[in-house]
Amino acid sequence: MFLSSDSMTGKASKENTFRLVFSDEFDLPDGCQPDSAKWSRAQRYGAVWNRWISDSKDVVYIRNGKLVCRAIPNRTEPNDTAKMLTGAIETAGKFSFLYGKVEVKLRTNNKSGNFPAVWMKPEDRNIGKPYGEIDIFESCGNLGIVQHSVHNHLTVNLNKKGPKNTFREQIPVRRWHVYGLEWSPERLVFTIDGKTTAVYEKSTDYQMLSDGQWTFNRPFFLILNQSVGDGSSKGMETDVDEIYETEFDWVRVYQKVKR
């Protein structure tokens, strides 16, 4: 299947042609789990986004042809100390790619503490590898803000300042929008509904590159998750008795056609 780079926004492009290499339209019966050939449940660890991840079918499931990821009060797992149960899926070990275009159509709640994301991490996560993370979409609480973020060895492991790596847009998150990334060997271009909203480029500074400013030259996998904040910033105070929910209509990944 061949599509122009602007196919999802109805625009024609003569310069860039992309081939669909991965997609999920979530067209399964209500109550089903997402396709296990494409997705696995993410695991619980100690970070804010994964501290309460659960395998419960109540936090990840298909409804009306959409993937639903939720954060819900923990009222069903008495032996689990988590205050809430949250849903997250990933393509690790099943699909990863190097360079291309990602687009995800979704909508989410606009509540204090809401913290869903669409993001990418390196397939090779061995200890000692330079850090890399591309956050295509994060919604920050009830502020009506969407955030794109880029994290690398320079900013995470060395805690040094590099090029601007966090970009915010005011947007009605309750409505359906298409959030995208076009990833090349030199830059990361973020989009919302086909419009460029942020650009992060590979540095030309030798020292910055040596410190790991560009760790995006290896295959990455996808993560979709619904989490909640820890109250450390405005709008991220979480009500553990609330239900938080994000719906994903589809996910599509393209790579350029070789000519």
Side-chain angles (χ1 to χ4, degrees), residues 33 41-44 53-60 86 88:
Q33 290 295 291
R41 291 293 190 101
Q43 300 300 304
R44 182 183 295 185
I53 279 179
S54 171
D55 287 333
S56 168
K57 293 183 179 180
D58 294 329
V59 295
V60 173
T86 67

Side-chain angles (χ1 to χ4, degrees), residues 158-182:
L158 301 183
N159 197 28
K160 290 185 177 181
K161 185 176 181 180
K164 180 179 179 180
N165 65 336
T166 299
F167 310 87
R168 290 186 159 194
E169 290 286 320
Q170 199 81 32
I171 192 168
V173 296
R174 289 193 184 99
R175 299 178 185 174
W176 291 105
H177 295 284
V178 177
Y179 301 95
L181 167 75
E182 191 166 329

Side-chain angles (χ1 to χ4, degrees), residues 48-64:
V48 171
W49 80 272
N50 60 20
R51 70 194 189 281
W52 293 336
I53 279 179
S54 171
D55 287 333
S56 168
K57 293 183 179 180
D58 294 329
V59 295
V60 173
Y61 57 90
I62 304 299
R63 184 183 68 206
N64 298 327

Side-chain angles (χ1 to χ4, degrees), residues 69-71 106-117 137-143 145 173-174 225-230 235-239 243-246:
C69 290
R70 307 169 89 201
L106 66 90
R107 66 181 178 185
T108 191
N109 299 148
N110 189 35
K111 297 179 180 179
S112 178
N114 191 38
F115 190 35
F137 159 89
E138 291 178 307
S139 184
C140 304
N142 60 355
L143 304 179
I145 288 174
V173 296
R174 289 193 184 99
N225 77 277
Q226 172 66 68
S227 187
V228 288
D230 60 358
M236 295 300 280
E237 301 85 0
T238 298
D239 182 347
I243 293 177
Y244 298 82
E245 180 176 290
T246 300

